[in-house]
Amino acid sequence: MTRTAMTRQTRGDPGKIWTLEVSGIAKNYGATCALRNASLRLRPGKVHALLGENGAGKSTLVKIVVGAIQPDRGRIALNGVPTLFAGVRQAIAAGVIPIYQHLSLFPHLSVLENLSAFAIAGAAGLRARPALVPRATARAWLDAVGLGCDLDLPVERLSVGERQLVEIARGLGQRCTLLVLDEPTAALTHDETDRLFGVVRRLCAEGTAVLFISHKFDEIEALADDVTVLRDGVAVIDAEPLASLSRAELVRAMLGDMVEPGDRALPQPGGPVLTATGLRLGPADAAADITVRAGEIVGLAGLVGSGALELAAALAGARPVAAGTLAVRGEALPAGDRVRAVAAGVGYVPADRHAEGLFGPLAALQNASSSTVALFSRGGLLRPGGEAAALMPWLRRLNLHPFQPERPAAGFSGGNQQKLLLSRNLAVPDLRVLVVLEPTRGVDIAARETIHDALVEAAGRGVAVVVASSDLDEVMALSHRILVVRHGSLDGELPRGTGRAALMDRLAGRRAA
Amino acid sequence: MMALTGARPRRFSGRLNPPAAVWVVLLLFCVFALAVPRFASAGNLENLLRVGSILGIAACGQTIVLILGGIEFSFGASAALASVVTVLALPSAGVAGGFAAGATAVLLVGLVNGTLVARFSLPPFLVTLGMLMVAGGGAAVLAGGLPIDAPPSDAFSWPARGRVAGIPVPILAAAASFALLHLLLAHTRAGRLWYLVGANGTAARLSGITVWRSVLAGYLLAGAFCALAAVILTSRVASGQPGLAPNLPFETIAACAVGGIPLAGGQGRAVQTLCGVLVIAMLNNAVVLLNLPVAYQQLMIAAVILGAVLLQQAPRLLLLLPVRPARQPEEERS
């Protein structure tokens, strides 16, 4: 692949070669149009951010770039050469390396075997066992991403961040011209994120182009050089330098003419509702005392692994504890008993909506009603129409989109799935406590606002709300006060209005003088 | 989304929403009616339904277990145990008492299955396989290894050969079973909880559902359906046989699969099971009418079952088109 032959390909800008040039892409799924006129132009050695709401067509465009699907219309050129990948393997062979949000490693196999996966996949049928990558080479790949782990360690023993680095290392072993990072930091700690960004910058310095998909503006501003924004399948901002755009302009481009939300007014808290006394997650953890008042939103914030999510789950009776008592309005509640907790009006939205929240094949309506089946059944029989009467108002209020309550939950976007889990709890009669973990992880901005509004509204009607989130902006925006969680227990409290930097310091264990 | 039945949003409201298997039933019926002599005669159709009713009743139980995300292998052996217990109890307990004793034996097997699965979280595959051996072994021990004949009596043969208003009792029992299954699944709280538990047990627990109770109730009810099937079967063979219905669990699973019920749990409707049962009953009947050797019967039935399942789950395969991996609907647009 010589560079001289392809200069003509770049439109209107002779002499400049795009690593990846995608233009006029359209893709329809049946009657639904995922992409209308998408384009993407990546410069070598630069990080290019791809922004857009869920449903804007980002994932579709990324899948086309990595060869997972083929466009109906449009042109793709890699280093100036028109290309159409028939499959992911071809794309990888051409140097387009995707790193997914959901890791594509083999957990039981060793690091070395995982690093050799592409070679194994490329080997033909029943021939002799394909050779593993030489250990020295594998070592060099790992060094390139700053990972010093044992080559024979099963991948499942690594942290999520380390696994992601292994995946990138595997990509580096190929001729990597374009690295595609699809929400790579969703499950990473701050240190791991920094390390990943370091690796990305080093790769860029060597001329690799990087396509970076993320919902987090801070990361985008820290890492990206150029940006493309998709809205409704069209590139509304087309490969412009990030520095020339403000955050507000980007948000406006993503959302269209929606008004930017201001600071929410939080309701005035009343008397105590939820009290946890001497709560210990594990026998070695320090005891935590937590009181949440009616109409109060308490944020639990902590770094990944701090126990913030676990502590919140324990407050909802969703996990057993080593010691301590829970009480709702003075009535004791056994730990780890969701049946009693729901009866006492304690709602819970788990962190992992697929594993712990959704009934994928069942209709949206039935997903929303799973905590309140008793409410619309009499003598063991379901009252006709009772379910719809109880739940439809909530689905409408949370703006379920598309509004198809009979559609299986698996067929909705993440934001709308999250709305289903929220309506499940909001519909609980006499809801007193609502514990929400990661309310908007992987959710687009509009759904995020709807969900935040619903939480504040719930507090407004006297519910004691607990929000545990790794998204600090979210915790800061919603909470009356923020409880800092470190090492499985509480480590102080911060009032509303605490700055981001101060909060970060506390999460990392640094105290202001 | 593309599969004909499985992924379609199921409606609990009871509106008519025929599964794809209906077309398999109609197609097969037309083919056999044209190709197999005497198939479409009233007498033969009655016979077909009467023979198929036992499978149908047991399949109702299997449907519940499959919706719960489990699987039930012990049906055949527990029916055999029931037949032996019934015949052994006849002299002392009389006909009704004998049948009650047999049915109780099946319910006990269901109770053990349910308890082990629900309370001890053991895998249903292993639990019911184990109980298959326990019930089968128990039946053989009780019978001393040989079939025991029941003294012939009208009362004893009524469940299999009696008629009410001119309709054979087994057909009535099967019709009632399917009606009950439909009611349970579509209109009761217990049925709704089975779907929720089967689709995602963790999510069900976190929603405040007492999962173990739902699972136990499901296996018990499945045992009740099997008990009814066992009573009719015992009456029909008029003996206690330790090796009575070895294929029953597999035929009930096949019936559900032919009806389009995925084995993954959380899905399935009574009408799907009914369709699957009809397909298998028609096949069994047709191969008998055609007087095929037993080995060919099995092969033909196997082929149709696999074909029907393929037709439902991967229609493209039948047209020899490559199957595309299911698209993840993570980005939905309307």
Side-chain angles (χ1 to χ4, degrees):
Chain A
M1 218 177 280
T2 58
R3 295 212 151 186
T4 42
M6 39 189 91
T7 342
R8 290 166 294 107
Q9 302 289 350
T10 48
R11 127 172 83 102
D13 202 354
K16 192 172 182 185
I17 295 173
W18 305 101
T19 301
L20 177 76
E21 188 186 10
V22 169
S23 53
I25 295 283
K27 176 74 187 176
N28 294 299
Y29 288 119
T32 54
C33 169
L35 290 176
R36 244 178 279 276
N37 183 14
S39 56
L40 198 57
R41 284 174 289 152
L42 270 64
R43 294 185 281 162
K46 299 290 177 193
V47 177
H48 192 113
L50 178 60
L51 288 178
E53 288 221 279
N54 284 351
K58 262 179 333 200
S59 293
T60 309
L61 183 57
V62 170
K63 281 182 195 157
I64 288 173
V65 168
V66 302
I69 53 177
Q70 281 72 45
D72 299 337
R73 190 150 46 71
R75 228 173 52 84
I76 304 173
L78 195 64
N79 281 330
V81 181
T83 320
L84 189 65
F85 298 126
V88 180
R89 212 200 283 174
Q90 247 186 47
I92 290 172
V96 177
I97 307 296
I99 310 290
Y100 294 110
Q101 199 174 346
H102 309 287
L103 300 169
S104 62
L105 295 177
F106 306 93
H108 303 301
L109 299 185
S110 71
V111 171
L112 182 63
E113 285 165 323
N114 270 288
L115 288 173
S116 312
F118 289 148
I120 295 171
L126 289 174
R127 275 213 318 255
R129 228 176 114 175
L132 297 175
V133 171
R135 298 183 76 88
T137 315
R139 186 83 272 155
W141 293 353
L142 289 182
D143 287 345
V145 297
L147 194 61
C149 69
D150 182 358
L151 283 175
D152 298 312
L153 208 64
V155 158
E156 60 193 345
R157 303 260 294 276
L158 300 179
S159 76
V160 177
E162 289 171 327
R163 290 184 215 185
Q164 208 143 30
L165 291 178
V166 171
E167 206 161 344
I168 295 177
R170 183 173 71 184
L172 300 186
Q174 317 300 306
R175 190 169 44 92
C176 181
T177 43
L178 169 62
L179 188 67
V180 179
L181 296 168
D182 192 356
E183 296 203 41
T185 61
L188 297 193
T189 65
H190 295 274
D191 284 351
E192 286 171 334
T193 301
D194 286 347
R195 193 150 138 201
L196 173 69
F197 285 3
V199 171
V200 168
R201 291 198 189 96
R202 193 144 14 102
L203 283 175
C204 284
E206 290 162 13
T208 307
V210 176
L211 181 59
F212 181 64
I213 296 111
S214 174
H215 281 296
K216 301 180 187 168
F217 278 108
D218 289 335
E219 296 181 351
I220 290 165
E221 282 166 1
L223 197 64
D225 303 294
D226 302 332
V227 61
T228 292
V229 178
L230 282 182
R231 188 173 77 225
D232 292 329
V234 179
V236 286
I237 288 182
D238 184 4
E240 291 183 31
L242 187 65
S244 69
L245 293 158
S246 72
R247 197 183 275 208
E249 284 172 309
L250 289 175
V251 172
R252 212 169 302 127
M254 289 166 70
L255 294 182
D257 291 329
M258 250 182 64
V259 207
E260 233 189 310
D263 249 2
R264 275 186 189 71
L266 298 183
Q268 192 64 40
V273 174
L274 174 72
T275 39
T277 321
L279 208 60
R280 289 172 196 271
L281 285 179
D285 291 324
D289 295 325
I290 299 172
T291 303
V292 187
R293 296 183 286 164
E296 188 182 33
I297 304 181
V298 171
L300 286 186
L303 301 179
V304 174
S306 65
L309 295 178
E310 290 79 2
L311 204 54
L315 288 178
R319 61 170 286 146
V321 294
T325 55
L326 285 177
V328 175
R329 291 238 178 113
E331 276 181 53
L333 197 66
D337 185 344
R338 279 296 294 155
V339 179
R340 292 278 297 280
V342 171
V346 180
Y348 176 59
V349 176
D352 183 341
R353 60 177 163 265
H354 294 286
E356 304 186 317
L358 291 173
F359 306 99
L362 300 188
L365 186 59
Q366 284 131 34
N367 271 269
S369 71
S370 66
S371 281
T372 45
V373 182
L375 204 64
F376 51 85
S377 54
R378 196 170 33 205
L381 291 177
L382 302 178
R383 265 190 296 122
E387 182 177 30
L391 270 307
M392 290 295 220
W394 286 110
L395 297 183
R396 224 168 260 129
R397 237 162 108 182
L398 291 180
N399 196 17
L400 180 73
H401 178 80
F403 195 77
Q404 295 171 4
E406 296 287 350
R407 181 178 182 152
F412 285 88
S413 69
N416 285 291
Q417 291 174 335
Q418 206 67 12
K419 291 178 192 173
L420 294 178
L421 300 190
L422 207 54
S423 358
R424 176 185 299 169
N425 291 289
L426 293 175
V428 169
D430 212 5
L431 183 71
R432 290 185 166 141
V433 179
L434 180 56
V435 179
V436 188
L437 275 50
E438 303 287 6
T440 59
R441 181 187 271 176
V443 161
D444 66 59
I445 294 182
R448 179 181 156 108
E449 291 309 313
T450 310
I451 290 166
H452 285 180
D453 286 343
L455 292 175
V456 174
E457 211 175 281
R461 59 182 172 116
V463 176
V465 180
V466 176
V467 173
S469 173
S470 53
D471 181 340
L472 297 185
D473 293 328
E474 178 165 84
V475 177
M476 291 189 295
L478 287 177
S479 312
H480 284 91
R481 55 199 170 96
I482 299 171
L483 302 180
V484 177
V485 183
R486 293 187 66 232
H487 307 306
S489 190
L490 296 187
D491 186 40
E493 179 182 318
L494 298 169
R496 182 164 178 78
T498 304
R500 196 188 160 81
L503 179 55
M504 279 297 302
D505 277 353
R506 287 300 295 273
L507 295 188
R510 289 186 291 272
R511 279 167 195 275
Chain B
M1 286 112 288
M2 315 205 89
L4 293 172
T5 16
R8 181 183 297 178
R10 218 186 22 266
R11 286 156 210 280
F12 287 94
S13 47
R15 265 171 286 167
L16 208 61
N17 185 12
V22 165
W23 305 113
V24 180
V25 171
L26 292 178
L27 180 76
L28 216 56
F29 182 84
C30 294
V31 169
F32 286 159
L34 292 174
V36 181
R38 298 191 314 284
F39 178 82
S41 71
N44 181 59
L45 290 180
E46 186 191 293
N47 185 45
L48 179 159
L49 290 178
R50 203 177 57 213
V51 173
S53 60
I54 293 169
L55 172 64
I57 296 166
C60 287
Q62 187 72 259
T63 305
I64 295 175
V65 175
L66 289 181
I67 288 173
L68 274 168
I71 197 155
E72 174 58 278
F73 285 124
S74 58
F75 274 177
S78 53
L81 178 66
S83 76
V84 172
V85 169
T86 303
V87 174
L88 288 178
L90 270 183
S92 54
V95 170
F99 280 134
T104 308
V106 182
L107 280 175
L108 276 178
V109 174
L111 180 68
V112 173
N113 281 333
T115 307
L116 291 179
V117 173
R119 285 308 249 173
F120 298 92
S121 304
L122 300 180
F125 187 101
L126 294 179
V127 167
T128 59
L129 194 64
M131 286 309 288
L132 178 157
M133 297 175 190
V134 170
V141 168
L142 285 177
L146 290 171
I148 323 164
D149 284 336
S153 76
D154 282 350
F156 189 82
S157 60
W158 185 79
R161 311 205 185 279
R163 281 175 188 271
V164 171
I167 305 170
V169 172
I171 297 180
L172 287 175
S177 295
F178 277 106
L180 177 64
L181 180 67
H182 174 74
L183 178 76
L184 279 169
L185 294 182
H187 299 290
T188 69
R189 187 176 164 203
R192 172 59 66 83
L193 299 190
W194 290 334
Y195 285 109
L196 295 171
V197 169
N200 187 342
T202 307
R205 180 178 68 80
L206 292 175
S207 296
I209 293 167
T210 314
V211 172
W212 70 265
R213 199 184 294 158
S214 180
V215 173
L216 182 59
Y219 277 85
L220 260 180
L221 263 160
F225 279 115
C226 181
L228 179 58
V231 165
I232 296 171
L233 192 57
T234 305
S235 164
R236 196 174 86 193
V237 297
S239 59
Q241 299 189 14
L244 186 55
N247 287 331
L248 190 61
F250 308 106
E251 283 191 351
T252 54
I253 294 166
C256 293
V258 168
I261 298 177
L263 300 189
Q267 288 171 280
R269 292 186 293 155
V271 62
Q272 291 180 294
T273 307
L274 177 61
C275 289
V277 168
L278 287 176
V279 167
I280 292 181
M282 284 193 288
L283 275 170
N284 280 329
N285 179 267
V287 291
V288 170
L289 289 184
L290 289 172
N291 213 5
L292 293 175
V294 177
Y296 288 103
Q297 286 185 20
Q298 287 199 349
L299 285 177
M300 182 172 152
I301 291 171
V304 172
I305 290 173
L306 288 178
V309 173
L310 270 179
L311 181 72
Q312 311 230 14
Q313 319 236 329
R316 293 175 62 88
L317 240 172
L318 278 195
L319 305 171
L320 299 177
L321 295 170
V323 179
R324 292 217 182 120
R327 182 162 54 89
Q328 289 296 315
E330 58 193 88
E331 277 207 318
E332 284 297 333
R333 303 170 44 81
S334 65

